């Protein structure tokens, strides 16, 4: 390994240590307690050294949020791949994976969506944050088929599902805990109900796979 590669690896290790330290502080004391000085003290670096990697706390939290969206997307995609070819079954498993991620990585979820904290200040949309919606929309498109205004219909049903799931997650994360069994039952019944309205015979939606025009 050349000197340039060693330097780059060293810098990447420091960058990862900074992110891990910020996440540890956020988990232990809450995101409002995270500061560049506390991170520096945690990894025994000077605050100016931290700013060489992230020019602000907001930039650091934005990167953590981006990594959170990558993890979430991976779980959703894995759930889809582990299911059969029935779009409804896929959606149920994908939303269950979303739900599981929110509680397994609740501190990341908080900064990704601003639950009980200020959402990270993002000047430009994070491309990675759009991947989960794209994954869900693709499967919803299989149910919608080739119909007029298919894009609007897909968006409508995605946000109907997301707003319900995110709302139920938020209720639990802010301390108003529902029993797990009841929460999961509500989740399954609600998502099933939304999907059933989409595929109801009265909708006259074609069952041909939806293909987004490019």
């Amino acid at each position: 390994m050349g000197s340039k590669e060693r330097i780059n690896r060293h810098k990447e290790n420091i960058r990862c240590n900074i992110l891990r330290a910020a996440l540890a502080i956020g988990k232990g004391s809450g995101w409002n307690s995270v500061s560049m000085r506390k991170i520096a003290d945690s990894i025994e670096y000077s605050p100016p050294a931290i700013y060489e990697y992230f020019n602000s706390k907001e930039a650091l939290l934005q990167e953590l949020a981006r990594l959170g969206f990558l993890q979430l997307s991976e779980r959703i995609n894995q759930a889809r791949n582990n299911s059969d070819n029935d779009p409804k079954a896929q959606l149920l498993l994908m939303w269950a994976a979303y739900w599981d991620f929110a509680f397994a990585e609740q501190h990341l979820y908080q900064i990704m969506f601003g639950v009980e904290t200020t959402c990270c200040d993002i000047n430009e949309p994070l491309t990675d944050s759009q991947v989960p919606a794209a994954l869900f929309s693709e499967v919803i498109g299989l149910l919608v088929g080739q119909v007029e205004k298919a894009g609007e219909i897909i968006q409508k049903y995605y946000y109907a599902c997301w707003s319900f799931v995110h709302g139920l997650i938020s209720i639990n994360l802010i301390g108003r805990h529902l029993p797990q069994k009841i929460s999961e039952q509500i989740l399954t019944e609600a998502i099933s109900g939304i999907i059933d309205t989409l595929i109801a015979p009265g909708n006259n939606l074609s069952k041909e796979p939806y293909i987004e025009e490019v």
Side-chain angles (χ1 to χ4, degrees), residues 92 164 183-196:
L92 289 172
F164 180 87
S183 292
E184 292 177 352
Q185 183 179 3
I186 293 172
L187 175 70
T188 301
E189 291 179 355
I191 298 300
S192 293
I194 293 172
I195 297 171
D196 287 343

Side-chain angles (χ1 to χ4, degrees):
M1 181 185 297
S3 59
K4 184 176 181 180
E5 287 78 9
R6 284 195 295 271
I7 292 172
N8 289 338
R9 175 175 289 187
H10 178 67
K11 287 183 176 180
E12 182 60 24
N13 287 338
I14 294 175
R15 186 174 182 276
C16 290
N17 287 338
I18 292 171
L19 292 169
R20 281 194 289 266
L23 182 57
I25 295 170
K27 287 182 176 180
S29 305
W31 290 111
N32 291 332
S33 298
V34 175
S35 70
M36 302 300 258
R37 178 169 293 279
K38 286 183 179 179
I39 294 170
D41 291 342
S42 176
I43 62 174
E44 299 181 345
Y45 271 75
S46 65
I50 306 299
Y51 283 100
E52 292 181 12
Y53 295 86
F54 299 97
N55 58 23
S56 66
K57 172 184 171 180
E58 288 71 26
L60 193 156
L61 295 183
Q62 179 177 337
E63 176 61 9
L64 281 174
R66 187 187 71 83
L67 295 174
F69 280 112
L70 287 176
Q71 292 182 38
L72 175 59
S73 299
E74 183 178 355
R75 291 201 184 197
I76 293 170
N77 197 43
Q78 185 177 27
R80 179 183 181 181
N81 292 336
N82 289 341
S83 64
D84 56 30
N85 292 324
D86 175 33
K88 179 178 178 179
Q90 289 179 345
L91 285 171
L92 289 172
L93 287 175
M94 290 164 72
W95 283 116
Y98 184 106
W99 174 272
D100 291 341
F101 170 85
F103 292 101
E105 304 292 345
Q106 61 179 279
H107 294 90
L108 278 179
Y109 193 87
Q110 286 175 339
I111 58 170
M112 289 161 64
F113 296 104
V115 179
E116 276 202 309
T117 187
T118 301
C119 190
C120 56
D121 183 17
I122 301 174
N123 295 322
E124 297 181 2
L126 285 173
T127 301
D128 294 314
S129 70
Q130 300 168 355
V131 175
L135 292 171
F136 282 112
S137 296
E138 182 179 353
V139 180
I140 294 172
L142 297 175
L143 295 173
V144 172
Q146 297 278 16
V147 297
E148 185 179 358
K149 297 183 178 180
E152 293 181 13
I153 296 171
I154 292 170
Q155 186 178 54
K156 169 187 172 182
Y157 278 91
Y158 165 71
Y159 279 107
C161 291
W162 181 79
S163 59
F164 180 87
V165 175
H166 176 66
L168 189 57
I169 288 170
S170 299
I171 288 172
N172 281 275
L173 288 182
I174 63 176
R176 299 177 182 177
H177 300 290
L178 294 171
Q180 181 178 353
K181 185 176 181 179
I182 293 178
S183 292
E184 292 177 352
Q185 183 179 3
I186 293 172
L187 175 70
T188 301
E189 291 179 355
I191 298 300
S192 293
I194 293 172
I195 297 171
D196 287 343
T197 64
L198 173 61
I199 61 179
N203 278 336
N204 294 319
L205 295 179
S206 167
K207 297 305 181 289
E208 293 296 321
Y210 171 76
I211 302 175
E212 184 71 44
E213 293 184 1
V214 295

